[in-house]
Amino acid sequence: MNYLAHLHIAKHCNSQLMGNLMADFVRGKPDGKFLPETTQAIYLHRFVDRYIDSHEAIKPCRALFPKHLYRFSAIALDMFWDHALVHHWDAFNNVGFDEFVACAEKDCRTATQQEPNPLPERYLFLSDKIWREGWLPSYEDINTLPFALKRMSARSPRMGPLAETAETLVAHRQILLNAFPSLYRDVLSAAHHFHH
């Protein structure tokens, strides 16, 4: 799951949105480094990542990728699930998408200001871009994915092949969209019962 899904899961679980968004930028144990609700949110994000990676429904999805891209398929699918969530939005929400995004931005910015401990610089830089450049609404368009994956692949030479995964996502879009609702219901249920 990527930015949108982690924010949506956080809201579903009454967990702090900022901590769920920030978790990928925090190394090691977060205990004592941030407010307790921020720490709890980081643990929820990590639980969701582990749960998804081990879910049975992920295997056939990853099998759609060519062998040489298999090890990048989990990251590519995480990006795709945000597209799928926008596509299936009404099935999981009684709040409109635009309203959700506006509230999420407000919640994250407020929590960022209220956190007395230093936050990761990379998170502060990225979160500002996410809101300022409208990343979440852009996930509605499948054509955002090649662009977003190319951007991610540029982070290091090792990640280069990630850009190629977009072709598989676009080609198998309908299969993946169909796989999403039951998988996501399981994720929401597991996250709801998670207590660190």
Side-chain angles (χ1 to χ4, degrees):
M1 301 278 146
N2 199 38
Y3 305 125
L4 175 61
H6 276 295
L7 288 167
H8 183 257
I9 292 162
K11 192 80 173 162
H12 177 78
C13 298
N14 292 318
S15 177
Q16 187 205 66
L17 273 67
M18 181 198 73
N20 276 278
L21 191 60
M22 182 175 78
D24 283 336
F25 301 93
V26 178
R27 296 279 164 262
K29 285 192 126 180
D31 307 70
K33 294 180 187 169
F34 309 104
L35 290 174
E37 59 266 33
T38 306
T39 301
Q40 178 65 22
I42 291 167
Y43 279 121
L44 174 62
H45 175 117
R46 290 177 179 178
F47 167 78
V48 167
D49 283 353
R50 284 196 309 276
Y51 182 83
I52 277 279
D53 286 346
S54 62
H55 197 286
E56 279 301 305
I58 287 295
K59 288 177 186 159
C61 295
R62 293 189 72 182
L64 296 168
F65 290 80
K67 276 199 169 53
H68 73 288
L69 294 177
Y70 183 81
R71 66 195 186 96
F72 298 97
S73 60
I75 302 170
L77 285 168
D78 279 347
M79 301 285 285
F80 184 88
W81 301 137
D82 271 9
H83 169 66
L85 178 55
V86 184
H87 185 82
H88 290 290
W89 189 258
D90 293 342
F92 295 99
N93 292 279
N94 47 18
V95 166
F97 178 69
D98 293 342
E99 188 185 335
F100 174 85
V101 171
C103 290
E105 176 177 3
K106 190 162 162 281
D107 283 6
C108 286
R109 289 195 185 279
T110 302
T112 299
Q113 286 161 357
Q114 290 173 347
E115 177 67 57
N117 305 289
L119 298 174
E121 283 297 321
R122 277 183 62 219
Y123 164 71
L124 294 171
F125 173 74
L126 185 90
S127 68
D128 188 54
K129 278 177 85 71
I130 287 173
W131 304 120
R132 200 178 61 239
E133 297 177 8
W135 286 16
L136 303 187
S138 77
Y139 293 143
E140 185 174 358
D141 182 359
I142 186 75
N143 296 311
T144 298
L145 290 177
F147 170 73
L149 286 160
K150 198 167 167 45
R151 184 173 57 205
M152 279 182 80
S153 74
R155 287 184 191 168
S156 74
R158 194 177 57 82
M159 294 288 276
L162 183 62
E164 296 174 48
T165 59
E167 205 175 308
T168 303
L169 297 177
V170 173
H172 297 291
R173 176 176 181 256
Q174 202 52 56
I175 293 171
L176 294 170
L177 282 177
N178 293 347
F180 178 76
S182 65
L183 166 66
Y184 197 59
R185 276 193 287 273
D186 286 354
V187 172
L188 288 177
S189 173
H192 198 67
H193 293 106
F194 169 74
H195 295 287
H196 178 70

